[in-house]
Amino acid sequence: MPYFAYKARNARGELLQGVLEGADSGSVADQLFSTGVTPVEIAVTSKPVTDAAEGWWAKLTEQKIRSIDVQLFSRQLYTLLKAGVPIMRGLAGLQESAINKSFARVVKDLRESLDAGRELSAAMRRHPDVFPSFYLSMVRVGEATGRLEEIFLRLFDHLEFERDMRERVKTALRYPMFVVIAMVVAIAIINLFVIPAFAKVYAGFNAKLPLMTQILINLSNFTVHFWPLMLAVAAGAAVAFKMYIATPTGRFKWDKLKLRFPIVGKIILKAALARFARSFALSSKSGVPIVQGLNVVAQTVDNVYIASRVEQMRDGVERGESILRTAVTTGVFTPVVLQMIAIGEETGEIDDLMDEIAAMYEREVDYELKTLSSQIEPILIIGLGILVLILALGVFLPIWDLGKAALQK
């Protein structure tokens, strides 16, 4: 997505400047409004503002800031604020004890911004790659309500849930990906080395080869002679696909298509809805108005298509419709979830029931991930069987036919 340089003013009228990433200037304005500042000017820029004094080698070799760094930072700030440690002193200690030097520089910038009179949320907004919009909005709520330490504890739990979800997905996909990669490597070796060796043997027979054998030999010859072109086409297709999904339209269509994938589509949907419910409950318990909460929660689901449905809910609530009615029109929630939303609206405990919805989806995602390998294994076995059958028919059928002809003589 493109970057936008902005100028904005906070509640005290102070001028703030920075760079944010967004689909368009409207989405950047929404991000700024959601954190309590009013945009004055938004313009497209080529890249985020960086320190010109840094050399290209330093930028290339610098340690990346991971989500675990932000998670630990949230927990440490909660502990320090709960113990009554002044935030400036706490940030100084976190800067000195930070293992990640890149994150230490971010904490240093936070201290300098606070020292210049900025609020903590405004200081964090200078680092959009480190602190997402949802994080900034929650910090802003903590500043407004005076419950900043409680907000950091909830953010720690939220980031822990996100990290656990990503790790479970990676673990579940590790075995299928290994099998698929092994099959691709095996096909490449067979095409480049095995089939050409058999083709030389068949050439000495001076006999008509079966159709399957001819297809394999022709495919092998094409691979041997044009493998650089095939690699270039594959790399070009990968780059083109990455550029396409980087556009707002491409990302929307790709995220919508992912939900229709066999087996994994339902896992992606349930994981996104678990994030939505958990984030909604967190923002609601923290005192964020529903309309503003839905606006920032849409940025946490990690799926543009579902985010558009959440924004559709926000627009409906803004028009005065109930959460249940807007949730029904999205078409992504199950009947059980819709029933729980209805009960939550009637009893006024929508945040607690959203926590229940999140827990339900998390349990379903956990079960789906545990059984993912067993669901994919039959597909992999069938694919491997078809591959072996094709190779057996193509490679050994001519030898079998020649052997029978020799016996008949």
Side-chain angles (χ1 to χ4, degrees):
M1 288 190 289
Y3 292 98
F4 293 85
Y6 69 86
K7 292 181 181 179
R9 293 191 181 275
N10 59 16
R12 292 182 293 189
E14 297 172 336
L15 182 64
L16 306 175
Q17 300 184 52
V19 175
L20 287 174
E21 187 179 8
D24 50 35
S25 58
S27 65
V28 173
D30 289 339
Q31 293 181 49
L32 294 173
F33 278 125
S34 67
T35 54
V37 301
T38 303
V40 176
E41 180 183 341
I42 299 176
V44 178
T45 185
S46 57
K47 58 183 178 179
V49 177
T50 56
D51 187 357
E54 292 184 353
W56 65 270
W57 179 253
K59 295 178 184 178
L60 185 64
T61 57
E62 70 177 355
Q63 190 175 2
K64 302 298 181 183
I65 297 176
R66 303 165 298 169
S67 60
I68 187 65
D69 296 318
V70 182
Q71 182 182 340
L72 293 177
F73 170 78
S74 305
R75 179 71 187 191
Q76 291 164 342
L77 263 186
Y78 159 74
T79 304
L80 291 169
L81 293 175
K82 185 179 180 182
V85 178
I87 190 168
M88 289 293 290
R89 196 171 117 201
L91 288 175
L94 293 179
Q95 179 188 340
E96 294 177 2
S97 61
I99 299 176
N100 189 323
K101 300 304 178 184
S102 298
F103 193 74
R105 286 195 293 272
V106 172
V107 177
K108 179 183 177 182
D109 184 75
L110 295 181
R111 287 181 56 210
E112 293 174 350
S113 297
L114 290 175
D115 194 44
R118 292 191 180 95
E119 296 175 337
L120 181 60
S121 58
M124 289 179 171
R125 195 181 305 115
R126 292 163 51 87
H127 305 278
D129 294 335
V130 180
F131 303 106
S133 298
F134 181 78
Y135 195 100
L136 296 176
S137 299
M138 296 306 299
V139 172
R140 178 72 180 178
V141 170
E143 291 173 332
T145 59
R147 298 187 297 174
L148 198 55
E149 67 277 2
E150 181 182 343
I151 291 296
F152 277 120
L153 178 60
R154 290 179 178 177
L155 284 171
F156 168 79
D157 293 334
H158 176 75
L159 293 174
E160 175 68 19
F161 159 71
E162 290 285 325
R163 189 171 68 91
D164 181 59
M165 187 75 70
R166 286 193 298 269
E167 289 300 321
R168 283 189 287 177
V169 171
K170 289 180 181 178
T171 302
L173 293 178
R174 189 171 295 135
Y175 169 72
M177 288 300 297
F178 174 78
V179 174
V180 171
I181 292 173
M183 289 176 63
V184 171
V185 172
I187 291 173
I189 293 175
I190 289 171
N191 271 321
L192 291 173
F193 303 104
V194 177
I195 294 180
F198 277 94
K200 292 179 181 178
V201 176
Y202 298 152
F205 292 162
N206 295 321
K208 185 178 179 181
L209 298 175
L211 177 62
M212 184 62 67
T213 305
Q214 294 178 19
I215 293 174
L216 287 178
I217 291 176
N218 291 334
L219 180 61
S220 176
N221 290 334
F222 181 84
T223 304
V224 170
H225 291 93
F226 297 102
W227 66 265
L229 178 62
M230 295 174 65
L231 286 179
V233 170
V239 172
F241 175 74
K242 189 173 182 180
M243 292 175 62
Y244 175 71
I245 63 174
T247 63
T249 303
R251 179 69 183 274
F252 180 87
K253 291 182 177 180
W254 171 242
D255 283 351
K256 184 178 181 180
L257 180 63
K258 286 192 296 187
L259 301 178
R260 300 177 181 176
F261 286 169
I263 301 176
V264 298
K266 58 183 178 181
I267 300 177
I268 295 173
L269 175 62
K270 291 176 181 178
L273 294 180
R275 292 190 186 97
F276 159 77
R278 184 69 73 191
S279 302
F280 185 91
L282 174 58
S283 60
S284 179
K285 288 180 179 179
S286 302
V288 181
I290 291 179
V291 174
Q292 183 181 349
L294 288 172
N295 187 50
V296 297
V297 164
Q299 302 167 22
T300 68
V301 295
D302 197 27
N303 187 288
V304 175
Y305 174 74
I306 296 179
S308 69
R309 302 281 80 83
V310 176
E311 290 170 355
Q312 179 183 326
M313 289 180 62
R314 176 203 62 194
D315 295 338
V317 172
E318 202 168 16
R319 291 192 300 267
E321 299 178 11
S322 66
I323 299 177
L324 174 62
R325 182 179 177 84
T326 57
V328 171
T329 58
T330 61
V332 295
F333 293 100
T334 61
V336 175
V337 173
L338 295 174
Q339 185 179 3
M340 294 181 73
I341 292 176
I343 295 173
E345 282 194 298
E346 290 178 6
T347 60
E349 298 180 353
I350 187 69
D351 48 356
D352 291 332
L353 284 175
M354 277 293 181
D355 265 332
E356 292 293 329
I357 293 171
M360 183 188 71
Y361 274 131
E362 288 167 23
R363 287 193 296 270
E364 291 187 13
V365 169
D366 187 50
Y367 174 78
E368 295 286 354
L369 290 176
K370 287 180 180 178
T371 60
L372 180 61
S373 296
S374 60
Q375 295 181 63
I376 294 179
E377 274 179 4
I379 300 175
L380 296 177
I381 292 173
I382 292 173
L384 187 60
I386 293 173
L387 176 63
V388 171
L389 178 63
I390 292 174
L391 291 176
L393 291 176
V395 174
F396 298 110
L397 191 58
I399 299 177
W400 175 257
D401 291 341
L402 290 172
K404 287 196 299 183
L407 288 175
Q408 290 174 359
K409 293 179 180 180

